[in-house]
């Protein structure tokens, strides 16, 4: 099967880009009346060229400085470039800016073309070539072939075709399309064809689209269906990565589609107004500080954004760093997608970079772990990138199907077990049908927050043995399902940092620290309950008996209950633990397995009143000592 690649032009206005494409392909890419009248390219033009075992979809871009934004839209998806310099003018401003754009897009290579060589002497051409060689040093065109051409005489065109074929063959192995990846195409044109309806065009960035496929236009979430496909002006059954495609869509009017939107497999792309990217400034760019407004060119979209530096105050010219981009409107992106940055005013290219997080959350004072994971997203190891995307997703949810978008990783069957085996991935079953996948360090970070809250509760209530889980749940409702917080608490317990019990949650090593007076009152309280038997005092009576520290009585009762000296039977009813145990033994001895007992019988047996007998029976039912049937109760297990 022939290899398909996208070839783009680059160069200053009126340096012969369109004439060169017409000479190579026979196609005039200037299609607009204004382009014909003015003799310059204003918008994108398209052609195709078959060379041996390679097919090139050609994108002709405008060279005028006023139309660089159109050039950037056409540059998306390029695999190779033809940098075109007119022999009679040499390197000009847009030559330099277009080359900067190509550098930011990290193309695989290309060819340098010196046009209009019939207008100057050979000596002058040599000077221009020397200037161009100096210009491309350190770029992907540093070792590119340089071809002299004349579209008037036809000189050099055959050699140019040969060099384009060689460049395409060299680039092909590095851009082999993986199988099973989602379809994606940035839209650069939308129009209507009589009898067919809406048609969109673009360069296919990944995957395959076939007749009848259901796709989505993002941003917007508009569901559409593929009615027809064209590639190189011919109807086809499918289009794939590296091809120029015209796609006839059902389900949308062409006026509702704009340049900057993308056509993709449903669910593959998620719009976002916040991106994290690794960017590099050009050597001659001004320093970049946080809150600076920029123009971000991503795919075929151009959107204003505010930059926020992550780990520094200023990014100096020539330096690179991670940056968050707060966008004025949503865009769609994938991991490692190239972007170009231009200043807001005056408009000029200042740098570019690669997407790290296409659907980011705001990073406020990121710690070392966060910075390490951002660095991993900038690396080559696929599993490390997958783990980093898992960490940065935090509690927002992460699915294996997201991996092509968030980490550039195919969601193969071996990856999840590898992440679980490394300890990075933890699966929490939040409902019978839903599993939440999070990074272990995310659980640990939330555990730090939970431990901090429990510590504050200990400080505010120093006599409290443990705190009900409901107090923790109410402070962490943003975690969602209770099962999520349960997982965080269990992780803290396994680390030996908290104690979990029926009474609640407490930090290990934290608990009541009593003064001598409080210790004395606690001993008195326990003695009162031992002496009182079944008819024990309530809270108010205990406070009335206490001569000092009356405000501490409630917490001291809770402390004695937590320590096992008292048993809380009801809201205002405690028994000494020995008294409650003796009452159980009395009931077991008095009522054989064949018979039960009523509240009245228990009251008579223990020599008490209904005020104490009723809550005692209800407590025994709750803890499973007795089982009630009607008015009768039996001791369970007899």
């Amino acid at each position: 099967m022939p290899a398909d690649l996208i070839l783009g032009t680059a160069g200053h206005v009126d340096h012969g880009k369109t004439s060169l494409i017409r000479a190579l392909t026979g196609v005039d890419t200037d299609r607009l009346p204004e382009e014909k009248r003015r003799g310059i390219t204003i918008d994108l033009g398209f052609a195709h060229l078959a060379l041996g075992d390679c097919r090139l979809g050609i994108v002709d871009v405008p060279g005028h400085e006023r139309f660089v934004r159109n050039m950037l839209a056409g540059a998306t998806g390029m695999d190779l470039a033809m940098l075109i310099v007119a022999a009679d003018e040499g390197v000009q401003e847009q030559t330099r800016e277009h080359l900067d754009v190509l550098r930011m897009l990290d193309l695989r290579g290309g060819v340098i073309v010196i046009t209009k060589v019939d207008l100057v002497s050979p000596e002058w051409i040599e000077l221009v070539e020397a200037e161009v060689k100096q210009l491309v040093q350190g770029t992907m065109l540093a070792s590119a072939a340089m071809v002299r051409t004349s579209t008037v005489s036809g000189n050099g065109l055959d050699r140019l075709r040969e060099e384009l074929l060689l460049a395409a063959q060299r680039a092909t192995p590095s851009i082999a399309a993986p199988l099973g990846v989602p379809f994606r195409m940035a839209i650069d044109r939308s129009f209507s064809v009589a009898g067919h309806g809406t048609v969109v065009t673009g360069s296919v960035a990944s995957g395959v689209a076939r007749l009848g496929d259901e796709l989505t236009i993002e941003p917007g979430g508009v569901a559409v269906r593929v009615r027809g496909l064209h590639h190189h002006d011919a109807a086809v059954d499918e289009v794939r990565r590296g091809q120029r495609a015209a796609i006839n869509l059902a389900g949308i009017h062409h006026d509702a589609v704009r340049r900057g939107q993308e056509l993709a497999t449903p669910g593959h792309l998620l719009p976002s107004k916040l991106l994290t990217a690794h960017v590099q400034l050009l050597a001659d760019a001004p320093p970049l500080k946080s809150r600076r407004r920029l123009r971000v060119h991503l795919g075929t979209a151009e959107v204003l954004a505010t930059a926020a530096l992550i780990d520094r105050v200023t990014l100096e010219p020539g330096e690179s760093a991670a940056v968050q981009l707060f966008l004025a409107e949503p865009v769609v992106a994938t991991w490692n997608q190239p972007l170009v940055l231009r200043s807001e005013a005056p408009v000029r290219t200042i740098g570019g970079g690669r997407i790290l997080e296409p659907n980011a959350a705001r990073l406020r004072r990121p710690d070392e772990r966060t910075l390490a994971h951002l660095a991993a997203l900038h690396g080559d190891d696929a599993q490390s990138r997958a783990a980093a995307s898992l960490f940065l997703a935090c509690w927002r949810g992460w699915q294996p199907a997201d991996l092509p978008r968030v980490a550039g990783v195919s969601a193969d069957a071996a990856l999840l077990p590898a992440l679980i085996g490394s300890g990075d991935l933890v699966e929490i079953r939040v409902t019978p049908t839903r599993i939440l996948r999070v990074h272990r360090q995310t659980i640990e970070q939330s555990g730090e927050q939970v431990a901090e809250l429990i510590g504050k509760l200990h400080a505010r209530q120093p006599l409290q043995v443990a705190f009900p889980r409901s107090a923790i749940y109410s402070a962490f409702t943003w975690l969602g399902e209770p099962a999520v917080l349960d997982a965080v608490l269990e992780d803290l317990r396994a680390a030996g940092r908290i104690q979990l019990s029926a009474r609640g949650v407490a930090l290990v090593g934290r608990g009541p620290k009593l003064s001598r007076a409080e210790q004395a009152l606690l001993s008195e309280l326990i003695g009162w309950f031992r002496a009182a038997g079944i008819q024990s005092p309530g809270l108010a009576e205990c406070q009335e008996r206490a001569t000092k520290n009356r405000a501490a009585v409630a917490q001291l009762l809770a402390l004695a209950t937590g320590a096992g000296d008292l048993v809380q039977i009801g809201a205002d009813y405690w028994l000494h633990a020995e008294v409650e145990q003796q009452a159980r033994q009395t009931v077991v001895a008095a009522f054989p397995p064949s018979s039960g007992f009523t509240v009245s019988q228990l009251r008579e047996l223990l020599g008490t009143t209904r005020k104490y007998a009723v809550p005692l029976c209800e407590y025994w039912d709750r803890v499973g000592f007795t089982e009630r049937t009607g008015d009768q109760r039996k001791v369970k297990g007899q």
Side-chain angles (χ1 to χ4, degrees):
M1 178 182 294
D4 290 289
L5 299 93
I6 304 297
L7 170 70
T9 63
H12 197 73
V13 62
D14 203 28
H15 274 210
K17 296 184 294 297
T18 302
S19 297
L20 181 63
I21 293 174
R22 184 167 56 244
L24 285 172
T25 67
V27 176
D28 185 358
T29 57
D30 279 349
R31 54 187 172 79
L32 302 177
E34 182 71 4
E35 292 175 320
K36 301 292 187 183
R37 186 182 68 81
R38 297 174 61 181
I40 62 171
T41 299
I42 296 174
D43 206 348
L44 304 177
F46 308 98
H48 61 272
L49 180 63
L51 295 173
D53 58 351
C54 295
R55 296 183 300 191
L56 303 179
I58 301 177
V59 181
D60 184 23
V61 305
H64 196 286
E65 62 180 345
R66 292 175 56 190
F67 307 120
V68 171
R69 58 185 297 182
N70 290 344
M71 180 270 175
L72 284 159
T76 186
M78 285 185 185
D79 300 309
L80 301 169
M82 280 196 300
L83 180 64
I84 297 169
V85 181
D88 59 337
E89 291 190 352
V91 173
Q92 299 293 313
E93 183 60 31
Q94 259 49 64
T95 313
R96 299 180 188 278
E97 185 166 17
H98 281 204
L99 181 60
D100 286 336
V101 169
L102 298 180
R103 288 171 56 196
M104 295 301 108
L105 296 178
D106 193 24
L107 303 191
R108 274 76 177 181
V111 176
I112 301 168
V113 185
I114 308 299
T115 59
K116 304 184 181 182
V117 296
D118 52 314
L119 299 181
V120 296
S121 67
E123 293 77 16
W124 183 262
I125 296 173
E126 290 177 1
L127 291 174
V128 171
E129 289 179 337
E131 183 184 25
V132 174
K133 287 180 180 178
Q134 184 177 5
L135 176 67
V136 300
Q137 288 303 308
T139 74
M140 73 291 175
L141 294 177
S143 59
M146 190 176 298
V147 182
R148 301 178 183 184
T149 65
S150 168
T151 57
V152 175
S153 66
N155 287 342
L157 295 182
D158 288 340
R159 184 180 169 227
L160 177 56
R161 293 186 182 92
E162 293 172 0
E163 294 296 346
L164 287 172
L165 176 58
L166 290 173
Q169 290 172 334
R170 284 193 294 267
T172 298
S174 66
I175 58 175
L179 298 176
V181 298
F183 175 79
R184 182 185 185 194
M185 185 187 83
I187 295 170
D188 51 40
R189 281 195 303 165
S190 172
F191 51 91
S192 179
V193 175
H196 296 277
T198 300
V199 175
V200 297
T201 69
S203 301
V204 180
S206 68
V208 179
R210 298 180 175 87
L211 290 173
D213 280 358
E214 301 291 333
L215 301 174
T216 303
I217 293 179
E218 297 286 2
V222 180
V224 293
R225 179 174 54 83
V226 177
R227 294 175 58 184
L229 295 166
H230 274 71
H231 169 55
H232 294 337
D233 296 327
V236 293
D237 293 330
E238 65 178 35
V239 291
R240 60 181 59 248
R241 186 251 173 270
Q243 294 181 341
R244 288 291 307 173
I247 304 180
N248 182 203
L249 298 176
I252 192 169
H253 191 277
H254 76 94
D255 286 341
V257 186
R258 68 183 189 278
R259 178 178 289 178
Q261 290 182 304
E262 303 209 14
L263 192 62
T265 299
H268 176 45
L269 300 177
L270 295 180
S272 175
K273 293 181 70 174
L274 178 54
L275 307 172
T276 305
H278 187 88
V279 305
Q280 181 172 11
L281 292 185
L282 295 173
D284 60 349
L288 177 63
K289 295 184 177 182
S290 287
R291 299 187 179 179
R292 180 176 173 184
R293 282 170 61 85
L294 302 168
R295 297 176 186 270
V296 176
H297 294 263
L298 184 73
T300 56
E302 176 192 11
V303 60
L304 287 173
T306 301
L309 298 173
I310 292 174
D311 62 350
R312 64 192 67 198
V313 176
T314 303
L315 185 62
E316 299 294 340
E319 290 184 345
S320 63
V323 173
Q324 288 209 296
L325 299 169
F326 293 82
L327 307 174
E329 58 187 77
V331 299
V332 289
T334 57
W335 173 84
N336 207 41
Q337 182 176 345
L339 58 87
V340 175
L341 301 177
R342 306 188 81 209
S343 53
E344 182 181 22
V347 182
R348 56 167 292 199
T349 302
I350 62 170
R354 295 277 176 165
I355 297 295
L356 296 179
E357 281 190 282
N359 305 96
R362 185 172 185 176
L363 297 176
R364 293 183 174 89
R365 296 184 296 277
D367 56 17
E368 291 184 3
R369 283 187 291 195
T370 301
L371 295 176
H373 285 296
L374 285 176
L377 274 179
H378 191 52
D380 296 327
D381 184 75
Q383 184 172 326
S384 296
R385 293 201 307 270
S389 72
L390 177 67
F391 174 83
L392 292 166
C394 196
W395 294 105
R396 289 175 292 156
W398 180 96
Q399 297 297 329
D402 297 332
L403 282 169
R405 182 182 75 256
V406 300
V409 178
S410 176
D412 60 66
L415 185 57
L416 248 63
L419 290 172
I420 294 172
S422 67
D424 292 321
L425 174 60
V426 177
E427 296 185 328
I428 302 171
R429 185 168 290 281
V430 294
T431 69
T433 59
R434 178 172 167 245
I435 292 177
L436 180 65
R437 296 178 176 89
V438 295
H439 199 286
R440 173 163 296 283
Q441 291 178 356
T442 298
I443 296 177
E444 293 171 355
Q445 283 185 329
S446 295
E448 295 292 338
Q449 295 173 298
V450 170
E452 182 180 357
L453 171 65
I454 299 172
K456 290 178 179 178
L457 293 174
H458 276 296
R460 288 199 294 264
Q461 303 177 60
L463 300 184
Q464 188 84 1
V465 176
F467 304 95
R469 291 194 183 203
S470 59
I472 313 298
Y473 289 145
S474 62
F476 288 89
T477 54
W478 53 269
L479 284 176
E481 301 289 340
V484 176
L485 182 57
D486 289 341
V488 174
L489 292 173
E490 178 57 31
D491 190 69
L492 285 171
R493 186 204 63 76
R497 299 189 60 188
I498 65 170
Q499 293 175 324
L500 294 175
S501 66
R503 299 188 301 274
V505 186
L507 290 179
V508 171
R510 292 287 295 272
K513 294 179 175 57
L514 305 180
S515 66
R516 289 186 178 181
E518 289 168 336
Q519 290 175 353
L521 179 56
L522 177 62
S523 296
E524 282 187 88
L525 284 169
I526 293 172
W528 295 343
F529 282 93
R530 180 185 283 113
I534 292 294
Q535 299 182 176
S536 59
L539 172 61
E541 185 178 345
C542 290
Q543 289 173 328
E544 187 177 336
R545 288 190 191 184
T547 57
K548 295 181 180 179
N549 295 315
R550 289 181 174 178
V553 169
Q555 288 189 323
L556 291 174
L557 287 174
L559 176 60
T561 302
D565 295 307
L566 302 182
V567 177
Q568 186 164 12
I569 304 300
D572 193 35
Y573 184 23
W574 290 264
L575 290 178
H576 193 281
E578 294 175 0
V579 173
E580 193 268 342
Q581 188 62 35
Q582 182 59 49
R584 292 192 188 208
Q585 294 173 0
T586 300
V587 167
V588 170
F591 301 111
S594 59
S595 66
F597 63 91
T598 64
V599 171
S600 296
Q601 289 174 308
L602 179 68
R603 175 177 57 78
E604 292 176 3
L605 177 67
L606 299 180
T608 186
T609 65
R610 288 183 62 84
K611 174 183 175 181
Y612 300 101
V614 170
L616 183 56
C617 285
E618 292 174 346
Y619 168 75
W620 279 341
D621 291 341
R622 288 198 306 273
V623 299
F625 173 61
T626 57
E627 184 175 32
R628 179 178 178 177
T629 304
D631 292 334
Q632 293 282 321
R633 286 177 169 83
K634 287 185 178 182
V635 177
K636 291 182 71 173
Q638 281 196 332

